Structure formats: C-alpha cells, structure tokens
Amino acid sequence: MLQSKNQITVRQLMIMFCVSIFSPAIRLMPGIGSELGREAAWVSPILSSAVLFTLFLVLERLFKNKKSKDIIEVYDMVLGKFFSYPLRIFYLFWTFILYFLYIRYYAERLLTSIFRTTDIRFFILVMMIVVFMALRGKFETFARFCEISFLLFNLITIIFFILLIPSVRIENIYPLTHNDIVPALKSTYPVLGLWGYVTFFMLLGDNVKDKEQIKNHRRFFTLFLAIITSLMLIFIIGTLGHMTARRMPLPFFSATKMIVFAESLDRLESILLSIWVVSDFIIITSFAFMIMNSMKDIFKISADKYLSFPVVLAGYFGSLFFTGSRFELEVFSEKIGLLVNIILGFAVPFIVFGIGKLRKKV
Amino acid sequence: MSFLIMFLVVGIVGFFDVKNMVNSGLKKELIVYSIFLGATVIFATLYLKNPLRRTILDMILDLFQVSW
C-alpha cells in the first residue's frame, strides 16, 4: 500500500474522490435531483453509472502511455502545447473557484444547521488552519486518512439507511412508468456534475504510481457510487417526498432528524454533521493539492509545499470575497457549476480521446 | 485590526518560508511564492477595505446573465 516518493495508488485516489463527493452529493443531489427527476430521481445514479464507466475506460486508455504524469500532460501529448495550455489555465481557474465554493459551503452549512449566531470567519479560519497542516504534511498520509474516513463514512451511512427504513413511504418513490424516463434522464445532471470530479482528481496524477491500473478498480467504484447514491436518494425522497426534498436546504439532514430508534435514540443528525465536516475537509484539501500541483507544473518548480501558505490565505479571503449568501452559492452550483463540471469532467476527456484516436496518439 | 493580524501572520509565516527556501537554494520557488503571496495579500486588502463590496459570484452570475 505504501508507495515510494510520497506516491499513492490509484485505488487510494479513487477512495479520495468518493469521500470528497460525499458532502456535495448529500447537499446537491437530493434537491436538484428531486426537482428534475421527481420520484424517479433515484434512478439517475444507475443511468449515470454507464457514463462514469465509459469515462473510466477513456481515462485508462489515455493513461496507457506511462510517460504522462497527469491528465494535463495527456492533453499536452494529444493536443499539443498550444491548445492544452489554455485548458491547463482554465482547469486551474476552475479548481480555484471550486476551492472557494466548498470552503464557503462548509461554513454556510454549519451556520444554517446548528451554529446560527456564530461568525462565519471563525469556521473558515479553523478549517484553513487544519487544511494548512494537511498541505504541509505528506500526501500519502492524507490519502490514508481518506481510506479510514471512507470506511467510517460507509459504516455510518449504512446505519443511517437502516434506521431510516421505517420512515420510507414506498409511494414516494414507486411506481415508475414510461413517463418518468425523461425526468430520470434530466436528474442525471447533478449526479454527472459531481462524478465529473474524477477527471479533476487526475490532476493529482503526478502523485499516483499506477494510473494505468484504473481498469482493476473501475467496476468496483462505478458500482459502489451507483448503489450508494441511489440508496441515498431512495431514503431521502422516500422519507420526505420529492416535493418536500426539493424545497429543503439540507434534505438529508432533515431526514436524519426523523430517526427515532426504540423511542430513546434520536438527535443523530450531529453524527451526520461531523462526518459532513470531515468530507468537507477532504474535498477542500484535495482541491488545494490540485491547485499546488497545477501551479508546480505551470511554473516548472520542484517543491510545491511552500505554496500551501498562499493557497490557504487565498482560500480564507477568497471564500469570504466569493459570495454574500447561501442562495448565490446554490444558484451558481445549479446553473453554472455543475454544467462546467460536466464539460471539464466528461466532455473534455471524451473529446481529447477522440482527437487522440484520430491522431493515433492513444 | 484585521489588517494588522493579516500582515502579522503573513510576516511571520512568510519569513520562515523565505528563510527555508533561501537555505535550500530554491530561487525559482521563491519568486513564484513571492508573486503568489503578494497577489493574495492585494486580494485580501481589497476585501478588508470593503467587505460588503460586490462578490465574485455576483460578477460571474451577471456575466452569464443568471438572475435569482
């Protein structure tokens, strides 16, 4: 498992990706999914899994050439530096935007859910100190932390699912007819928008030893994401109904508030909130690593650890400067963020693969 | 007060980072670090001078003509 030169395995990278999207998934998918897919929203991860599996196939082919360190180097090889350089800059710009976005989302959620009167700067400051320590540490240590979190998150999520079973009303998610095909297809939008981050994680390819081994893990991670995301949507929409879920700021949080076990065990939402914060830490740190890695490649420097301080400082002030309200964040995610994620996460690798095939580069 | 804290933090952390980079002979890294840190401090100063100024998202949403 341990790799030389501070490198991790592609399995660890995929785990990092899965744990990272836990937080945005429980925030965005139920709301936007319910609005677009109504009671059929839970089918969308199953439909999206075909696209994700194809992306894994494309990434595997793109990384067949072992010389390429990360996805941008693959773009360099296929498109040439003249066309890949603007792409590299845009990926960096978008990673910065996502970095600010997730810092702000994390703080806004804590304010919305429990700590309504606390100064937002306190939460951002605490998170940025922890992120700074992680960035100064070893990347493989962070990857191992993600592995432990992955096990913990799955265990807690499954317990939540089991405890939510009595609250699920089957009429909220069933029956599905042919009229639900179009809504189900539409509701793949937030799912694909988040699963597209797998391409962003390939920006960290420099730190991954066996990228070509993605073929050994693609089935497991596609199936895992399809099942866990579908179950999450089944339990949220099944418990609250799609009309209520689409109007709530934090539907999964509201659903877990309904859990009462043996008339004694309740108020479990605090456990959800804590794993949510850990997931936020992982996604924010991952984007910070991506920024540092991209800057290292752009400026051709050997040590990127020193960039952690400016990156963290930019994260603190950038997230404060980024938005004034949660509503702005939600509108941005729904109308622009997810769309750009799909373009950069799916469309660009597919197009590059097509061009690579034509030019016989892949 | 916010300005003072920011400049104090930037000064302390920056001093140790620059010292380490000079000791390790990382000249190129030092230039990139200084430019990036300088840009971040300018960005932070802009925010601190008027925290209620127009936000980045507001500008992006305007650019794409998204109303809410």
Side-chain angles (χ1 to χ4, degrees):
Chain A
M1 189 188 291
L2 289 179
Q3 302 299 325
S4 58
K5 284 169 61 190
N6 202 16
Q7 284 190 316
I8 63 167
T9 61
V10 76
R11 188 185 132 273
Q12 287 175 304
L13 189 76
M14 287 300 111
I15 286 175
M16 205 183 282
F17 157 68
C18 290
V19 182
S20 295
I21 61 163
F22 178 83
S23 165
I26 51 179
R27 185 182 53 246
L28 288 175
M29 284 181 195
I32 303 173
S34 307
E35 195 175 338
L36 298 171
R38 301 195 293 265
E39 54 273 280
W42 62 272
V43 185
S44 61
I46 298 163
L47 299 174
S48 307
S49 61
V51 188
L52 182 69
F53 191 75
T54 317
L55 178 67
F56 277 133
L57 287 174
V58 166
L59 289 173
E60 179 207 325
R61 296 297 295 272
L62 290 175
F63 280 109
K64 227 173 184 177
N65 179 358
K66 291 181 184 178
K67 284 177 191 164
S68 305
K69 284 194 297 182
D70 58 28
I71 191 82
I72 301 290
E73 281 211 357
V74 177
Y75 295 169
D76 274 351
M77 183 188 72
V78 173
L79 305 172
K81 285 213 189 283
F82 183 77
F83 290 105
S84 77
Y85 201 77
L87 260 179
R88 188 191 282 265
I89 299 292
F90 192 68
Y91 268 97
L92 177 62
F93 166 76
W94 194 247
T95 314
F96 258 115
I97 294 284
L98 292 173
Y99 176 58
F100 296 155
L101 183 84
Y102 283 111
I103 296 170
R104 194 62 194 232
Y105 259 134
Y106 139 79
E108 289 285 348
R109 191 180 41 251
L110 286 176
L111 284 184
T112 318
S113 54
I114 295 184
F115 307 100
R116 290 192 175 87
T117 52
T118 315
D119 189 336
I120 194 164
R121 289 175 299 179
F122 170 73
F123 296 122
I124 298 176
L125 184 69
V126 171
M127 176 59 86
M128 295 330 290
I129 291 170
V130 183
V131 169
F132 178 65
M133 284 170 8
L135 294 177
R136 284 282 160 120
K138 285 184 176 176
F139 185 62
E140 63 181 52
T141 313
F142 175 65
R144 263 180 274 141
F145 173 74
C146 293
E147 278 184 291
I148 297 164
S149 304
F150 182 68
L151 293 174
L152 196 72
F153 283 17
N154 286 329
L155 184 73
I156 292 173
T157 312
I158 289 165
I159 292 171
F160 272 129
F161 288 167
I162 293 167
L163 294 173
L164 271 172
I165 290 174
S167 315
V168 174
R169 298 215 313 252
I170 202 79
E171 63 271 20
N172 283 338
I173 48 169
Y174 196 79
L176 297 181
T177 65
H178 64 281
N179 293 323
D180 292 306
I181 295 172
V182 175
L185 284 171
K186 278 186 187 172
S187 64
T188 57
Y189 173 63
V191 182
L192 290 176
L194 295 179
W195 287 1
Y197 286 158
V198 72
T199 307
F200 286 81
F201 275 81
M202 287 299 165
L203 290 170
L204 297 168
D206 197 7
N207 303 303
V208 182
K209 200 180 182 185
D210 55 347
K211 292 174 284 286
E212 68 285 355
Q213 293 300 319
I214 201 166
K215 64 181 175 201
N216 297 335
H217 305 289
R218 65 185 180 218
R219 274 197 207 105
F220 171 78
F221 285 105
T222 309
L223 264 176
F224 168 78
L225 283 171
I227 293 169
I228 203 96
T229 316
S230 287
L231 281 175
M232 180 193 73
L233 290 170
I234 286 172
F235 283 105
I236 294 173
I237 298 171
T239 308
L240 302 170
H242 70 93
M243 297 289 274
T244 315
R246 70 202 267 189
R247 287 185 174 88
M248 284 186 156
L250 306 167
F252 194 46
F253 188 74
S254 307
T256 51
K257 276 185 171 178
M258 294 168 74
I259 294 173
V260 180
F261 183 68
E263 294 184 359
S264 57
L265 185 69
D266 60 359
R267 313 262 321 156
L268 295 176
E269 64 273 13
S270 51
I271 300 171
L272 175 71
L273 203 67
S274 54
I275 60 167
W276 221 338
V277 171
V278 175
S279 172
D280 279 324
F281 160 70
I282 292 171
I283 195 165
I284 292 166
T285 311
S286 301
F287 280 120
F289 270 121
M290 286 173 211
I291 290 168
M292 284 161 53
N293 220 41
S294 298
M295 292 187 77
K296 183 178 144 192
D297 287 343
I298 288 172
F299 297 108
K300 308 250 180 293
I301 53 176
S302 55
D304 61 353
K305 287 286 167 207
Y306 294 106
L307 294 177
S308 55
F309 178 56
V311 167
V312 164
L313 197 68
Y316 177 78
F317 286 106
S319 62
L320 288 170
F321 203 165
F322 192 59
T323 183
S325 74
R326 186 171 55 81
F327 303 108
E328 241 177 12
L329 287 174
E330 284 170 3
V331 171
F332 173 76
S333 290
E334 189 179 340
K335 307 277 183 195
I336 302 168
L338 291 171
L339 187 67
V340 179
N341 287 348
I342 292 173
I343 294 169
L344 293 178
F346 288 96
V348 172
F350 286 163
I351 292 168
V352 170
F353 177 69
I355 295 170
K357 270 278 168 204
L358 287 173
R359 297 186 69 198
K360 295 191 170 60
K361 296 272 187 184
V362 289
Chain B
M1 188 63 180
S2 303
F3 276 106
L4 187 72
I5 295 170
M6 184 190 74
F7 284 115
L8 207 65
V9 171
V10 170
I12 294 168
V13 182
F15 170 75
F16 285 108
D17 278 350
V18 169
K19 195 179 151 197
N20 285 337
M21 277 185 273
V22 169
N23 287 343
S24 314
L26 300 167
K27 279 184 189 166
K28 206 172 178 185
E29 283 76 3
L30 183 61
I31 296 167
V32 174
Y33 177 87
S34 307
I35 293 170
F36 188 23
L37 188 61
T40 310
V41 169
I42 293 169
F43 183 68
T45 311
L46 271 176
Y47 169 76
L48 289 173
K49 272 178 103 175
N50 180 12
L52 297 175
R53 71 170 62 237
R54 217 170 151 218
T55 61
I56 299 172
L57 266 195
D58 197 26
M59 292 178 217
I60 295 176
L61 292 174
D62 252 10
L63 184 73
F64 287 92
Q65 296 182 328
V66 177
S67 55
W68 56 283

